[in-house]
Amino acid sequence: MESLSALDQLLNPTTGWLTPVSAQKLIDWKISDDLRTRIEDLGQKANHGTLTTEEDAEYRAYLDDAELISLMQAKARRLYHTQT
């Protein structure tokens, strides 16, 4: 028997909250232009080694968020495309 991760269980269309409609919304979701600009600015500062402690924490939080969102979108794509 295959054991599903907690995220797989959450996103499972038969036992979790993910429906074809919500999966498509998750797949299509994009960050705002303002947030993208902020992340790019922080990335430039990170590349130059000029982030403050607060900016470093903010940038790391954005990177953590991006990792989770990307994972959820990939799982939604996989689940959505197996349902259609």
Side-chain angles (χ1 to χ4, degrees):
M1 180 170 105
E2 182 180 341
S3 176
L4 297 177
S5 72
L7 187 56
D8 284 331
Q9 290 176 24
L10 175 68
L11 298 178
N12 187 307
T14 58
T15 60
W17 64 268
L18 195 65
T19 65
V21 171
S22 61
Q24 193 60 55
K25 286 182 180 183
L26 180 57
I27 292 165
D28 294 341
W29 185 83
K30 305 271 190 272
I31 62 172
S32 69
D33 290 340
D34 289 342
L35 182 54
R36 180 179 311 282
T37 298
R38 176 65 177 157
I39 293 168
E40 289 171 356
D41 291 345
L42 291 171
Q44 288 294 322
K45 290 180 86 172
N47 289 340
H48 292 105
T50 58
L51 285 176
T52 66
T53 302
E54 293 81 18
E55 289 171 330
D56 184 60
E58 179 184 0
Y59 187 53
R60 288 176 187 272
Y62 289 140
L63 295 178
D64 290 344
D65 290 350
E67 186 176 340
L68 178 59
I69 292 166
S70 294
L71 177 61
M72 290 178 65
Q73 287 177 322
K75 288 184 178 287
R77 278 187 208 92
R78 181 181 47 120
L79 291 169
Y80 177 71
H81 293 294
T82 61
Q83 298 296 311
T84 58

